[in-house]
């Protein structure tokens, strides 16, 4: 566990040094290096947001002692982020780079995701595992089904670099997700 944290901190430090300022976004992170890391990570992973038509990086945070990053993207035409109808959320988890240790962490995270949805009564529509060299998961679900706050979500949990996995979610509110957006 200690090695995982050290490896991820080194990854974060290198990423921060190499980062180039991206765009304005909201964050509770106040230090320059942390903000640069969020911008760099958002730039690196923006291709997933672009596929969903949510290209504007609007929010980011660093949590769990720097081992988890959270990013949110919305469509460019969004003026008031509270009025979103589409949002891509990414939670990026740092890994150690040790395949056996990482496999255990990945399995624990998947079990955690599944138990969270069972506990909260989320309407899970599709839950599939696949292997692309690593274990990954596709999950489609609805939160608050039948209520005005209903949100449809299509998500994937997959490796995005040698030392990171990401839980990437396309959230649809007000307008249901289209099959073309989910694929």
């Amino acid at each position: 566990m200690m090695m995982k944290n050290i490896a991820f901190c080194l990854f974060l430090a290198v990423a921060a040094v190499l980062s180039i300022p991206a765009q304005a976004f909201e964050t509770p992170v106040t230090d320059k290096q942390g903000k640069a890391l969020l911008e760099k990570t958002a730039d690196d992973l923006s291709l997933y947001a672009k596929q969903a038509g949510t290209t504007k990086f609007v929010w980011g945070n660093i949590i769990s002692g720097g081992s988890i990053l959270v990013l949110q993207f919305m469509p460019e035409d969004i003026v008031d982020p509270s009025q979103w109808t589409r949002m891509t959320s990414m939670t990026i988890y740092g890994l150690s780079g040790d395949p056996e240790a990482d496999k255990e962490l990945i399995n624990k995270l998947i079990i955690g995701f599944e138990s969270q949805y069972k506990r909260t009564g989320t309407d899970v529509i599709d839950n599939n595992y696949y292997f692309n060299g690593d274990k990954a998961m596709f999950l489609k679900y609805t939160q608050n089904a039948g209520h005005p706050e209903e949100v449809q979500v299509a998500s994937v949990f997959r490796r995005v670099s040698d030392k990171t996995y990401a839980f990437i979610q396309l959230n649809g509110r007000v307008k249901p997700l289209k099959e073309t957006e989910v694929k």
Side-chain angles (χ1 to χ4, degrees):
M1 187 65 149
M2 179 69 142
M3 289 302 291
K4 181 185 107 182
N5 289 339
I6 291 170
F8 190 67
C9 287
L10 288 173
F11 165 77
L12 293 180
V14 170
V17 168
L18 298 175
S19 67
I20 300 168
Q23 48 192 311
F25 63 98
E26 295 293 321
T27 180
V29 176
T30 56
D31 66 282
K32 217 181 227 185
Q33 198 171 26
K35 286 182 178 182
L37 171 64
L38 290 170
E39 290 174 347
K40 171 74 170 121
T41 305
D43 285 344
D44 290 348
L45 299 179
S46 65
L47 69 127
Y48 299 107
K50 286 177 186 169
Q51 290 172 354
T54 55
T55 56
K56 184 177 182 181
F57 178 39
V58 295
W59 190 84
N61 197 8
I62 302 172
I63 55 177
S64 292
S67 64
I68 300 174
L69 302 179
V70 181
L71 309 172
Q72 292 179 343
F73 298 81
M74 294 183 189
E76 286 293 330
D77 62 352
I78 288 289
V79 177
D80 178 0
S82 70
Q83 300 301 309
W84 65 271
T85 58
R86 290 292 182 273
M87 175 176 47
T88 300
S89 300
M90 297 181 197
T91 305
I92 299 96
Y93 298 88
L95 303 174
S96 68
D98 173 6
E100 286 307 308
D102 291 346
K103 186 186 294 186
E104 184 180 331
L105 175 61
I106 291 162
N107 284 329
K108 284 181 181 179
L109 287 168
I110 287 173
I111 290 167
F113 297 144
E114 291 175 334
S115 66
Q116 175 186 350
Y117 298 117
K118 288 176 186 171
R119 256 192 340 269
T120 60
T122 300
D123 182 18
V124 175
I125 299 161
D126 194 359
N127 185 3
N128 292 300
Y129 301 105
Y130 62 94
F131 292 87
N132 189 12
D134 296 297
K135 186 173 185 179
M137 177 178 73
F138 172 79
L139 184 64
K140 185 176 174 186
Y141 60 94
T142 301
Q143 293 178 316
N144 302 315
H147 297 287
E149 312 83 42
E150 180 176 298
V151 177
Q152 293 181 350
V153 183
S155 60
V156 64
F157 181 60
R158 60 166 298 184
R159 182 178 294 277
V160 291
S161 79
D162 291 346
K163 293 189 178 178
T164 55
Y165 248 70
F167 190 55
I168 304 168
Q169 302 176 86
L170 173 60
N171 303 278
R173 184 171 73 178
V174 181
K175 299 187 302 188
L177 291 178
K178 300 174 191 167
E179 281 303 312
T180 55
E181 292 176 298
V182 175
K183 295 189 185 257

